[in-house]
Amino acid sequence: MINDKKVLFSGMQATGNLTLGNYLGALKNWVTLSDEYECFYSVVDMHSITVRQDPATLRKRARALLILYIAAGLDPKKNCIYYQSHVSGHAELAWILNCFTYMGELNRMTQFKDKAAKHADNINAGLFTYPVLMAADILLYQADVVPVGVDQKQHLELTRDIAERFNNIYGDVFTIPEAYIGKVGAKIMSLQDPAKKMSKSDENPNASIYLMDDPDTIMRKCKRAVTDSEAQILYRDEQPGVKNLINIYSACTGKTPEEVVKEFDGKGYGDFKMAVGESVVSVLKPLQEEAARLTKDKAYIDGIIKENAEKAGYYANKTLRKVQKKVGFPERIR
């Protein structure tokens, strides 16, 4: 607990460009959580380097992501928005937790197997121990809750196992985090393959709408979105492409899927896709304008980066010092 609030931790990698799916499924909902929780939102740039990155590009994307957090509505005075790499406690705690994590547990991580298959020329130790760094991210701030997608549930379970193992040896040191169950964000699928999630790493440029896409690009991608030959706008699993577009329109307008189906009853896919595109443009325009404004205000963003790194570091060190003492490290002479 911090300031009589439960603690929530989440973060996004500073690789690729955020998609409409990232925004509607996660970022948009983060904004509503700061009234209920003490929130730590990290730009997890340390996780990013398990895959080789161009240094200048990584720095640029990390800053752009932090700016997007704020442009999306996250108040940096109410939420701790910071770079993971600016708080050394993440790496320090990860090393200690490595010593309380078993090889067999890491061998079972399905995401490691998937990423190792994609990056067969760079199967590094960081990729293997990635879940332990994720555990450190969460446990460092004594997080009570963590919003997780389906692909991260296994990592949260490992985090809980590590924390319980440590607590069983040394007493009540870590808060055991729970998965955040709240308002479910819209699950946005690929525009070209509605069987899979919209992804910032998709090789097909028409599959994802990126948050900084201009209006013409957004309209073009929506027009090219996969539908079917049924020529009916119905919300059903048998029409996954149409269902996905309904979900997008619904999330952007606040209308229910049933209201959307009624609105476009008797209309063709062309009109529907046009309306979907316009709704996306309308939602992203203020975010893009605010991001552009913030990008120009270097002093303001630099101030937030410094201030929030210090805040995150303060809470991280409280946990880290306790852990270091428990495992037997000598106290520092101050």
Side-chain angles (χ1 to χ4, degrees):
M1 299 280 285
I2 298 176
N3 299 325
D4 296 322
K5 289 182 179 180
K6 287 187 174 182
V7 176
L8 180 147
F9 175 88
S10 194
M12 293 184 184
Q13 280 202 46
T15 53
N17 298 305
L18 288 194
T19 70
L20 181 68
N22 296 130
Y23 176 67
L24 296 177
L27 191 51
K28 182 181 177 184
N29 293 323
W30 286 4
V31 176
T32 65
L33 297 173
S34 59
D35 290 333
E36 184 177 355
Y37 296 99
E38 189 74 28
C39 299
F40 290 81
Y41 293 122
S42 182
V43 174
V44 289
D45 47 352
M46 291 170 66
H47 284 291
S48 302
I49 64 169
T50 56
V51 176
R52 296 285 178 264
Q53 304 290 336
D54 174 70
T57 301
L58 180 60
R59 280 190 288 271
K60 183 178 178 181
R61 284 179 169 169
R63 189 177 181 93
L65 178 55
L66 185 138
I67 286 171
L68 275 175
Y69 281 0
I70 302 167
L74 290 176
D75 184 344
K77 295 293 183 183
K78 294 174 69 175
N79 304 276
C80 189
I81 301 168
Y82 72 101
Y83 293 135
Q84 181 189 31
S85 62
H86 283 191
V87 181
S88 62
H90 286 265
E92 293 183 71
L93 182 59
W95 169 251
I96 295 172
L97 297 184
N98 269 321
C99 300
F100 292 84
T101 307
Y102 299 123
M103 295 285 287
E105 291 174 313
L106 295 177
N107 278 326
R108 289 194 293 272
M109 296 292 109
T110 55
Q111 212 171 48
F112 168 72
K113 296 172 185 175
D114 293 343
K115 289 191 175 183
K118 289 180 182 176
H119 304 282
D121 59 336
N122 183 26
I123 305 175
N124 56 71
L127 193 63
F128 187 63
T129 60
Y130 181 106
V132 184
L133 178 56
M134 185 178 291
D137 298 340
I138 296 164
L139 300 177
L140 197 58
Y141 301 101
Q142 303 290 352
D144 296 279
V145 291
V146 184
V148 289
V150 175
D151 57 340
Q152 298 293 351
K153 281 185 177 179
Q154 191 182 32
H155 288 166
L156 183 60
E157 284 305 313
L158 177 63
T159 299
R160 289 169 54 84
D161 290 343
I162 296 169
E164 287 172 351
R165 183 174 301 137
F166 195 95
N167 285 356
N168 287 338
I169 299 170
Y170 297 110
D172 189 14
V173 178
F174 292 123
T175 300
I176 308 300
E178 303 282 349
Y180 170 75
I181 306 298
K183 181 183 177 184
V184 178
K187 188 175 182 182
I188 306 302
M189 313 304 283
S190 162
L191 295 180
Q192 294 300 309
D193 181 2
K196 65 181 185 180
K197 269 199 328 182
M198 184 177 286
S199 170
K200 58 183 180 178
S201 61
D202 201 309
E203 294 180 0
N204 185 339
N206 291 312
S208 302
I209 294 173
Y210 300 108
L211 295 192
M212 301 309 290
D213 277 348
D214 61 70
D216 288 345
T217 300
I218 292 169
M219 296 303 294
R220 185 177 70 251
K221 289 180 177 180
C222 287
K223 288 176 184 177
R224 293 178 178 175
V226 169
T227 48
D228 51 52
S229 58
E230 295 192 33
Q232 293 186 87
I233 300 168
L234 298 173
Y235 192 71
R236 55 180 185 167
D237 292 339
E238 292 80 7
Q239 292 179 269
V242 174
K243 183 179 180 180
N244 186 40
L245 290 175
I246 290 174
N247 280 333
I248 292 172
Y249 188 73
S250 177
C252 289
T253 61
K255 297 177 181 178
T256 66
E258 293 74 24
E259 288 171 334
V260 177
V261 169
K262 187 175 180 180
E263 179 181 348
F264 291 95
D265 182 33
K267 295 184 179 178
Y269 288 162
D271 289 340
F272 179 48
K273 288 180 179 181
M274 182 73 72
V276 172
E278 289 171 349
S279 72
V280 173
V281 170
S282 177
V283 163
L284 294 187
K285 183 180 179 182
L287 181 149
Q288 291 174 350
E289 290 175 346
E290 180 64 2
R293 186 188 71 79
L294 290 169
T295 300
K296 295 175 183 175
D297 197 342
K298 185 177 183 298
Y300 173 69
I301 296 300
D302 286 350
I304 287 170
I305 290 170
K306 182 177 185 296
E307 183 180 322
N308 280 353
E310 290 171 354
K311 178 181 177 180
Y314 169 77
Y315 288 107
N317 283 329
K318 286 181 70 174
T319 297
L320 188 62
R321 299 294 172 255
K322 184 189 297 184
V323 172
Q324 289 172 332
K325 185 175 181 180
K326 289 290 186 181
V327 300
F329 291 172
E331 288 192 34
R332 298 187 184 192
I333 307 300
R334 300 183 187 282

